[in-house]
Amino acid sequence: MNNSVGNTARLLGAGLRALLVLTVICGILYPLAVTGVAQTLFHDKANGSEIKADGKVVGSELIGQRYDLPLKKGQDTPDPDLRWFQPRPANGLGENSVNTRYKLLLSGATNLSGDNKDLIKQVRDAKAAIIEDNSTATHRVTPSDVPADAVTSSASGLDPHISPAYADLQVHRVAEKNHVSAARVQNLVDENTEQRTLGFLGEPRVNVLRLNIALRELTTRGGDGS
């Protein structure tokens, strides 16, 4: 009887010691080590790849955001603010309908097939809007000028990048709306165009948030400067 109680006590003691040691290692030391390495070697990425302007965090370089006018009475969706470069469409985004205590935006794709009538209508309507919005008194946009990413959303609906072709298409409209030369705005696009990763991965791209920050700096410091 005494041996049985003693063995049980020893087993319980060993189990508790193992629990304590593993809790310290896995629950305290390991997370601290990983966090320390991340903050030391990958500080920006570990903190969400934040982008700052005027000393304030204005977004993340990994998450796209809209540049719209205030919602008008009777509107379901706001009109784009044409002073700024616009991102890709976000047709796959939805709203949280389960936990209605919080207003959440759910990312995702439309999951519509290439011959789906709704998708075809979305693309046609988007192309017509792109042509109308980006045509100016001195520059006419044609249907062949409109790249695919201007009228289709990404798989997440939150793509922070657009193609250089879509950025170039918006140059004349942005220049006209901000009263600066198209050449200066084109320079901003060229300066903010990222090339393929390692020279062969992905495609050239433009981060819309970074580009709009550069545009804001150009317009606030006196515009053309040319």
Side-chain angles (χ1 to χ4, degrees), residues 28-49:
I28 300 176
L29 297 181
Y30 177 73
L32 286 177
V34 171
T35 301
V37 170
Q39 290 294 333
T40 302
L41 301 180
F42 313 102
H43 179 76
D44 292 338
K45 291 181 173 59
N47 288 290
S49 300

mmCIF file with all atom_site columns, all heavy atoms in Angstrom, residues 28-49:
data_model
loop_
_atom_site.group_PDB
_atom_site.id
_atom_site.type_symbol
_atom_site.label_atom_id
_atom_site.label_alt_id
_atom_site.label_comp_id
_atom_site.label_asym_id
_atom_site.label_entity_id
_atom_site.label_seq_id
_atom_site.pdbx_PDB_ins_code
_atom_site.Cartn_x
_atom_site.Cartn_y
_atom_site.Cartn_z
_atom_site.occupancy
_atom_site.B_iso_or_equiv
_atom_site.pdbx_formal_charge
_atom_site.auth_seq_id
_atom_site.auth_comp_id
_atom_site.auth_asym_id
_atom_site.auth_atom_id
_atom_site.pdbx_PDB_model_num
ATOM 1   N N   . ILE A 1 28 ? 7.202  30.352 -22.564 1.00 0.00 ? 28 ILE A N   1
ATOM 2   C CA  . ILE A 1 28 ? 7.862  31.611 -22.215 1.00 0.00 ? 28 ILE A CA  1
ATOM 3   C C   . ILE A 1 28 ? 9.153  31.813 -23.016 1.00 0.00 ? 28 ILE A C   1
ATOM 4   O O   . ILE A 1 28 ? 9.286  32.769 -23.776 1.00 0.00 ? 28 ILE A O   1
ATOM 5   C CB  . ILE A 1 28 ? 8.161  31.680 -20.710 1.00 0.00 ? 28 ILE A CB  1
ATOM 6   C CG1 . ILE A 1 28 ? 6.850  31.590 -19.896 1.00 0.00 ? 28 ILE A CG1 1
ATOM 7   C CG2 . ILE A 1 28 ? 8.910  32.958 -20.369 1.00 0.00 ? 28 ILE A CG2 1
ATOM 8   C CD1 . ILE A 1 28 ? 7.059  31.544 -18.404 1.00 0.00 ? 28 ILE A CD1 1
ATOM 9   N N   . LEU A 1 29 ? 10.096 30.886 -22.875 1.00 0.00 ? 29 LEU A N   1
ATOM 10  C CA  . LEU A 1 29 ? 11.411 31.074 -23.490 1.00 0.00 ? 29 LEU A CA  1
ATOM 11  C C   . LEU A 1 29 ? 11.337 31.039 -25.020 1.00 0.00 ? 29 LEU A C   1
ATOM 12  O O   . LEU A 1 29 ? 11.923 31.894 -25.693 1.00 0.00 ? 29 LEU A O   1
ATOM 13  C CB  . LEU A 1 29 ? 12.376 29.999 -22.984 1.00 0.00 ? 29 LEU A CB  1
ATOM 14  C CG  . LEU A 1 29 ? 12.674 30.024 -21.475 1.00 0.00 ? 29 LEU A CG  1
ATOM 15  C CD1 . LEU A 1 29 ? 13.667 28.929 -21.107 1.00 0.00 ? 29 LEU A CD1 1
ATOM 16  C CD2 . LEU A 1 29 ? 13.225 31.405 -21.065 1.00 0.00 ? 29 LEU A CD2 1
ATOM 17  N N   . TYR A 1 30 ? 10.635 30.039 -25.574 1.00 0.00 ? 30 TYR A N   1
ATOM 18  C CA  . TYR A 1 30 ? 10.564 29.924 -27.036 1.00 0.00 ? 30 TYR A CA  1
ATOM 19  C C   . TYR A 1 30 ? 9.853  31.132 -27.662 1.00 0.00 ? 30 TYR A C   1
ATOM 20  O O   . TYR A 1 30 ? 10.382 31.730 -28.620 1.00 0.00 ? 30 TYR A O   1
ATOM 21  C CB  . TYR A 1 30 ? 9.863  28.619 -27.429 1.00 0.00 ? 30 TYR A CB  1
ATOM 22  C CG  . TYR A 1 30 ? 9.686  28.479 -28.924 1.00 0.00 ? 30 TYR A CG  1
ATOM 23  C CD1 . TYR A 1 30 ? 10.767 28.201 -29.751 1.00 0.00 ? 30 TYR A CD1 1
ATOM 24  C CD2 . TYR A 1 30 ? 8.429  28.622 -29.509 1.00 0.00 ? 30 TYR A CD2 1
ATOM 25  C CE1 . TYR A 1 30 ? 10.607 28.073 -31.114 1.00 0.00 ? 30 TYR A CE1 1
ATOM 26  C CE2 . TYR A 1 30 ? 8.260  28.503 -30.876 1.00 0.00 ? 30 TYR A CE2 1
ATOM 27  C CZ  . TYR A 1 30 ? 9.355  28.230 -31.678 1.00 0.00 ? 30 TYR A CZ  1
ATOM 28  O OH  . TYR A 1 30 ? 9.189  28.122 -33.030 1.00 0.00 ? 30 TYR A OH  1
ATOM 29  N N   . PRO A 1 31 ? 8.665  31.548 -27.181 1.00 0.00 ? 31 PRO A N   1
ATOM 30  C CA  . PRO A 1 31 ? 8.040  32.741 -27.762 1.00 0.00 ? 31 PRO A CA  1
ATOM 31  C C   . PRO A 1 31 ? 8.908  33.997 -27.633 1.00 0.00 ? 31 PRO A C   1
ATOM 32  O O   . PRO A 1 31 ? 8.962  34.820 -28.558 1.00 0.00 ? 31 PRO A O   1
ATOM 33  C CB  . PRO A 1 31 ? 6.739  32.890 -26.959 1.00 0.00 ? 31 PRO A CB  1
ATOM 34  C CG  . PRO A 1 31 ? 6.435  31.514 -26.486 1.00 0.00 ? 31 PRO A CG  1
ATOM 35  C CD  . PRO A 1 31 ? 7.770  30.903 -26.202 1.00 0.00 ? 31 PRO A CD  1
ATOM 36  N N   . LEU A 1 32 ? 9.606  34.141 -26.502 1.00 0.00 ? 32 LEU A N   1
ATOM 37  C CA  . LEU A 1 32 ? 10.483 35.298 -26.336 1.00 0.00 ? 32 LEU A CA  1
ATOM 38  C C   . LEU A 1 32 ? 11.637 35.254 -27.327 1.00 0.00 ? 32 LEU A C   1
ATOM 39  O O   . LEU A 1 32 ? 12.019 36.288 -27.905 1.00 0.00 ? 32 LEU A O   1
ATOM 40  C CB  . LEU A 1 32 ? 11.015 35.352 -24.901 1.00 0.00 ? 32 LEU A CB  1
ATOM 41  C CG  . LEU A 1 32 ? 10.022 35.788 -23.817 1.00 0.00 ? 32 LEU A CG  1
ATOM 42  C CD1 . LEU A 1 32 ? 10.676 35.708 -22.438 1.00 0.00 ? 32 LEU A CD1 1
ATOM 43  C CD2 . LEU A 1 32 ? 9.538  37.224 -24.076 1.00 0.00 ? 32 LEU A CD2 1
ATOM 44  N N   . ALA A 1 33 ? 12.204 34.060 -27.540 1.00 0.00 ? 33 ALA A N   1
ATOM 45  C CA  . ALA A 1 33 ? 13.314 33.930 -28.480 1.00 0.00 ? 33 ALA A CA  1
ATOM 46  C C   . ALA A 1 33 ? 12.870 34.239 -29.901 1.00 0.00 ? 33 ALA A C   1
ATOM 47  O O   . ALA A 1 33 ? 13.542 34.972 -30.635 1.00 0.00 ? 33 ALA A O   1
ATOM 48  C CB  . ALA A 1 33 ? 13.891 32.518 -28.401 1.00 0.00 ? 33 ALA A CB  1
ATOM 49  N N   . VAL A 1 34 ? 11.719 33.691 -30.313 1.00 0.00 ? 34 VAL A N   1
ATOM 50  C CA  . VAL A 1 34 ? 11.207 33.931 -31.665 1.00 0.00 ? 34 VAL A CA  1
ATOM 51  C C   . VAL A 1 34 ? 10.868 35.410 -31.855 1.00 0.00 ? 34 VAL A C   1
ATOM 52  O O   . VAL A 1 34 ? 11.194 36.010 -32.886 1.00 0.00 ? 34 VAL A O   1
ATOM 53  C CB  . VAL A 1 34 ? 9.971  33.049 -31.938 1.00 0.00 ? 34 VAL A CB  1
ATOM 54  C CG1 . VAL A 1 34 ? 9.301  33.452 -33.241 1.00 0.00 ? 34 VAL A CG1 1
ATOM 55  C CG2 . VAL A 1 34 ? 10.366 31.581 -31.979 1.00 0.00 ? 34 VAL A CG2 1
ATOM 56  N N   . THR A 1 35 ? 10.226 36.001 -30.860 1.00 0.00 ? 35 THR A N   1
ATOM 57  C CA  . THR A 1 35 ? 9.881  37.417 -30.948 1.00 0.00 ? 35 THR A CA  1
ATOM 58  C C   . THR A 1 35 ? 11.132 38.281 -31.013 1.00 0.00 ? 35 THR A C   1
ATOM 59  O O   . THR A 1 35 ? 11.199 39.242 -31.791 1.00 0.00 ? 35 THR A O   1
ATOM 60  C CB  . THR A 1 35 ? 9.029  37.835 -29.733 1.00 0.00 ? 35 THR A CB  1
ATOM 61  O OG1 . THR A 1 35 ? 7.838  37.046 -29.698 1.00 0.00 ? 35 THR A OG1 1
ATOM 62  C CG2 . THR A 1 35 ? 8.654  39.303 -29.818 1.00 0.00 ? 35 THR A CG2 1
ATOM 63  N N   . GLY A 1 36 ? 12.152 37.924 -30.205 1.00 0.00 ? 36 GLY A N   1
ATOM 64  C CA  . GLY A 1 36 ? 13.396 38.689 -30.219 1.00 0.00 ? 36 GLY A CA  1
ATOM 65  C C   . GLY A 1 36 ? 14.102 38.629 -31.557 1.00 0.00 ? 36 GLY A C   1
ATOM 66  O O   . GLY A 1 36 ? 14.576 39.642 -32.077 1.00 0.00 ? 36 GLY A O   1
ATOM 67  N N   . VAL A 1 37 ? 14.154 37.425 -32.152 1.00 0.00 ? 37 VAL A N   1
ATOM 68  C CA  . VAL A 1 37 ? 14.789 37.274 -33.471 1.00 0.00 ? 37 VAL A CA  1
ATOM 69  C C   . VAL A 1 37 ? 14.009 38.058 -34.525 1.00 0.00 ? 37 VAL A C   1
ATOM 70  O O   . VAL A 1 37 ? 14.588 38.755 -35.365 1.00 0.00 ? 37 VAL A O   1
ATOM 71  C CB  . VAL A 1 37 ? 14.866 35.781 -33.857 1.00 0.00 ? 37 VAL A CB  1
ATOM 72  C CG1 . VAL A 1 37 ? 15.293 35.627 -35.313 1.00 0.00 ? 37 VAL A CG1 1
ATOM 73  C CG2 . VAL A 1 37 ? 15.843 35.047 -32.946 1.00 0.00 ? 37 VAL A CG2 1
ATOM 74  N N   . ALA A 1 38 ? 12.684 37.942 -34.480 1.00 0.00 ? 38 ALA A N   1
ATOM 75  C CA  . ALA A 1 38 ? 11.851 38.643 -35.459 1.00 0.00 ? 38 ALA A CA  1
ATOM 76  C C   . ALA A 1 38 ? 12.013 40.154 -35.352 1.00 0.00 ? 38 ALA A C   1
ATOM 77  O O   . ALA A 1 38 ? 12.147 40.854 -36.359 1.00 0.00 ? 38 ALA A O   1
ATOM 78  C CB  . ALA A 1 38 ? 10.385 38.250 -35.275 1.00 0.00 ? 38 ALA A CB  1
ATOM 79  N N   . GLN A 1 39 ? 12.015 40.673 -34.123 1.00 0.00 ? 39 GLN A N   1
ATOM 80  C CA  . GLN A 1 39 ? 12.134 42.117 -33.937 1.00 0.00 ? 39 GLN A CA  1
ATOM 81  C C   . GLN A 1 39 ? 13.527 42.622 -34.300 1.00 0.00 ? 39 GLN A C   1
ATOM 82  O O   . GLN A 1 39 ? 13.686 43.753 -34.743 1.00 0.00 ? 39 GLN A O   1
ATOM 83  C CB  . GLN A 1 39 ? 11.812 42.490 -32.485 1.00 0.00 ? 39 GLN A CB  1
ATOM 84  C CG  . GLN A 1 39 ? 10.351 42.336 -32.103 1.00 0.00 ? 39 GLN A CG  1
ATOM 85  C CD  . GLN A 1 39 ? 9.446  43.310 -32.835 1.00 0.00 ? 39 GLN A CD  1
ATOM 86  O OE1 . GLN A 1 39 ? 9.862  44.397 -33.236 1.00 0.00 ? 39 GLN A OE1 1
ATOM 87  N NE2 . GLN A 1 39 ? 8.198  42.919 -33.033 1.00 0.00 ? 39 GLN A NE2 1
ATOM 88  N N   . THR A 1 40 ? 14.529 41.765 -34.143 1.00 0.00 ? 40 THR A N   1
ATOM 89  C CA  . THR A 1 40 ? 15.896 42.174 -34.441 1.00 0.00 ? 40 THR A CA  1
ATOM 90  C C   . THR A 1 40 ? 16.205 42.110 -35.933 1.00 0.00 ? 40 THR A C   1
ATOM 91  O O   . THR A 1 40 ? 16.752 43.046 -36.516 1.00 0.00 ? 40 THR A O   1
ATOM 92  C CB  . THR A 1 40 ? 16.899 41.284 -33.677 1.00 0.00 ? 40 THR A CB  1
ATOM 93  O OG1 . THR A 1 40 ? 16.635 41.381 -32.273 1.00 0.00 ? 40 THR A OG1 1
ATOM 94  C CG2 . THR A 1 40 ? 18.333 41.730 -33.963 1.00 0.00 ? 40 THR A CG2 1
ATOM 95  N N   . LEU A 1 41 ? 15.814 41.000 -36.574 1.00 0.00 ? 41 LEU A N   1
ATOM 96  C CA  . LEU A 1 41 ? 16.189 40.773 -37.972 1.00 0.00 ? 41 LEU A CA  1
ATOM 97  C C   . LEU A 1 41 ? 15.111 41.213 -38.962 1.00 0.00 ? 41 LEU A C   1
ATOM 98  O O   . LEU A 1 41 ? 15.422 41.569 -40.100 1.00 0.00 ? 41 LEU A O   1
ATOM 99  C CB  . LEU A 1 41 ? 16.511 39.292 -38.195 1.00 0.00 ? 41 LEU A CB  1
ATOM 100 C CG  . LEU A 1 41 ? 17.648 38.718 -37.349 1.00 0.00 ? 41 LEU A CG  1
ATOM 101 C CD1 . LEU A 1 41 ? 17.854 37.250 -37.679 1.00 0.00 ? 41 LEU A CD1 1
ATOM 102 C CD2 . LEU A 1 41 ? 18.944 39.506 -37.589 1.00 0.00 ? 41 LEU A CD2 1
ATOM 103 N N   . PHE A 1 42 ? 13.852 41.156 -38.550 1.00 0.00 ? 42 PHE A N   1
ATOM 104 C CA  . PHE A 1 42 ? 12.740 41.474 -39.457 1.00 0.00 ? 42 PHE A CA  1
ATOM 105 C C   . PHE A 1 42 ? 11.755 42.421 -38.781 1.00 0.00 ? 42 PHE A C   1
ATOM 106 O O   . PHE A 1 42 ? 10.553 42.164 -38.736 1.00 0.00 ? 42 PHE A O   1
ATOM 107 C CB  . PHE A 1 42 ? 12.018 40.190 -39.888 1.00 0.00 ? 42 PHE A CB  1
ATOM 108 C CG  . PHE A 1 42 ? 12.946 39.093 -40.332 1.00 0.00 ? 42 PHE A CG  1
ATOM 109 C CD1 . PHE A 1 42 ? 13.237 38.032 -39.488 1.00 0.00 ? 42 PHE A CD1 1
ATOM 110 C CD2 . PHE A 1 42 ? 13.524 39.122 -41.589 1.00 0.00 ? 42 PHE A CD2 1
ATOM 111 C CE1 . PHE A 1 42 ? 14.087 37.014 -39.894 1.00 0.00 ? 42 PHE A CE1 1
ATOM 112 C CE2 . PHE A 1 42 ? 14.376 38.106 -42.000 1.00 0.00 ? 42 PHE A CE2 1
ATOM 113 C CZ  . PHE A 1 42 ? 14.666 37.055 -41.161 1.00 0.00 ? 42 PHE A CZ  1
ATOM 114 N N   . HIS A 1 43 ? 12.273 43.533 -38.264 1.00 0.00 ? 43 HIS A N   1
ATOM 115 C CA  . HIS A 1 43 ? 11.446 44.421 -37.442 1.00 0.00 ? 43 HIS A CA  1
ATOM 116 C C   . HIS A 1 43 ? 10.201 44.902 -38.180 1.00 0.00 ? 43 HIS A C   1
ATOM 117 O O   . HIS A 1 43 ? 9.087  44.842 -37.654 1.00 0.00 ? 43 HIS A O   1
ATOM 118 C CB  . HIS A 1 43 ? 12.280 45.619 -36.985 1.00 0.00 ? 43 HIS A CB  1
ATOM 119 C CG  . HIS A 1 43 ? 11.510 46.604 -36.162 1.00 0.00 ? 43 HIS A CG  1
ATOM 120 N ND1 . HIS A 1 43 ? 11.179 46.371 -34.833 1.00 0.00 ? 43 HIS A ND1 1
ATOM 121 C CD2 . HIS A 1 43 ? 10.980 47.814 -36.481 1.00 0.00 ? 43 HIS A CD2 1
ATOM 122 C CE1 . HIS A 1 43 ? 10.495 47.394 -34.368 1.00 0.00 ? 43 HIS A CE1 1
ATOM 123 N NE2 . HIS A 1 43 ? 10.356 48.286 -35.338 1.00 0.00 ? 43 HIS A NE2 1
ATOM 124 N N   . ASP A 1 44 ? 10.359 45.404 -39.414 1.00 0.00 ? 44 ASP A N   1
ATOM 125 C CA  . ASP A 1 44 ? 9.223  45.944 -40.154 1.00 0.00 ? 44 ASP A CA  1
ATOM 126 C C   . ASP A 1 44 ? 8.186  44.867 -40.453 1.00 0.00 ? 44 ASP A C   1
ATOM 127 O O   . ASP A 1 44 ? 6.983  45.081 -40.247 1.00 0.00 ? 44 ASP A O   1
ATOM 128 C CB  . ASP A 1 44 ? 9.698  46.583 -41.466 1.00 0.00 ? 44 ASP A CB  1
ATOM 129 C CG  . ASP A 1 44 ? 10.511 47.847 -41.222 1.00 0.00 ? 44 ASP A CG  1
ATOM 130 O OD1 . ASP A 1 44 ? 10.346 48.438 -40.134 1.00 0.00 ? 44 ASP A OD1 1
ATOM 131 O OD2 . ASP A 1 44 ? 11.298 48.233 -42.095 1.00 0.00 ? 44 ASP A OD2 1
ATOM 132 N N   . LYS A 1 45 ? 8.637  43.721 -40.930 1.00 0.00 ? 45 LYS A N   1
ATOM 133 C CA  . LYS A 1 45 ? 7.701  42.640 -41.274 1.00 0.00 ? 45 LYS A CA  1
ATOM 134 C C   . LYS A 1 45 ? 7.012  42.085 -40.036 1.00 0.00 ? 45 LYS A C   1
ATOM 135 O O   . LYS A 1 45 ? 5.826  41.755 -40.068 1.00 0.00 ? 45 LYS A O   1
ATOM 136 C CB  . LYS A 1 45 ? 8.443  41.532 -42.022 1.00 0.00 ? 45 LYS A CB  1
ATOM 137 C CG  . LYS A 1 45 ? 8.900  41.923 -43.423 1.00 0.00 ? 45 LYS A CG  1
ATOM 138 C CD  . LYS A 1 45 ? 9.603  40.775 -44.106 1.00 0.00 ? 45 LYS A CD  1
ATOM 139 C CE  . LYS A 1 45 ? 9.917  41.099 -45.563 1.00 0.00 ? 45 LYS A CE  1
ATOM 140 N NZ  . LYS A 1 45 ? 10.762 42.291 -45.699 1.00 0.00 ? 45 LYS A NZ  1
ATOM 141 N N   . ALA A 1 46 ? 7.746  41.982 -38.926 1.00 0.00 ? 46 ALA A N   1
ATOM 142 C CA  . ALA A 1 46 ? 7.158  41.443 -37.699 1.00 0.00 ? 46 ALA A CA  1
ATOM 143 C C   . ALA A 1 46 ? 6.067  42.345 -37.141 1.00 0.00 ? 46 ALA A C   1
ATOM 144 O O   . ALA A 1 46 ? 5.188  41.891 -36.406 1.00 0.00 ? 46 ALA A O   1
ATOM 145 C CB  . ALA A 1 46 ? 8.242  41.236 -36.645 1.00 0.00 ? 46 ALA A CB  1
ATOM 146 N N   . ASN A 1 47 ? 6.107  43.615 -37.502 1.00 0.00 ? 47 ASN A N   1
ATOM 147 C CA  . ASN A 1 47 ? 5.117  44.570 -37.002 1.00 0.00 ? 47 ASN A CA  1
ATOM 148 C C   . ASN A 1 47 ? 4.062  44.927 -38.046 1.00 0.00 ? 47 ASN A C   1
ATOM 149 O O   . ASN A 1 47 ? 3.414  45.967 -37.954 1.00 0.00 ? 47 ASN A O   1
ATOM 150 C CB  . ASN A 1 47 ? 5.823  45.839 -36.519 1.00 0.00 ? 47 ASN A CB  1
ATOM 151 C CG  . ASN A 1 47 ? 6.581  45.602 -35.233 1.00 0.00 ? 47 ASN A CG  1
ATOM 152 O OD1 . ASN A 1 47 ? 6.001  45.406 -34.168 1.00 0.00 ? 47 ASN A OD1 1
ATOM 153 N ND2 . ASN A 1 47 ? 7.907  45.576 -35.322 1.00 0.00 ? 47 ASN A ND2 1
ATOM 154 N N   . GLY A 1 48 ? 3.897  44.045 -39.051 1.00 0.00 ? 48 GLY A N   1
ATOM 155 C CA  . GLY A 1 48 ? 2.801  44.231 -39.996 1.00 0.00 ? 48 GLY A CA  1
ATOM 156 C C   . GLY A 1 48 ? 3.155  45.014 -41.237 1.00 0.00 ? 48 GLY A C   1
ATOM 157 O O   . GLY A 1 48 ? 2.259  45.446 -41.960 1.00 0.00 ? 48 GLY A O   1
ATOM 158 N N   . SER A 1 49 ? 4.435  45.231 -41.513 1.00 0.00 ? 49 SER A N   1
ATOM 159 C CA  . SER A 1 49 ? 4.865  45.984 -42.701 1.00 0.00 ? 49 SER A CA  1
ATOM 160 C C   . SER A 1 49 ? 4.147  47.325 -42.783 1.00 0.00 ? 49 SER A C   1
ATOM 161 O O   . SER A 1 49 ? 3.586  47.700 -43.810 1.00 0.00 ? 49 SER A O   1
ATOM 162 C CB  . SER A 1 49 ? 4.614  45.154 -43.971 1.00 0.00 ? 49 SER A CB  1
ATOM 163 O OG  . SER A 1 49 ? 5.327  43.945 -43.946 1.00 0.00 ? 49 SER A OG  1
#
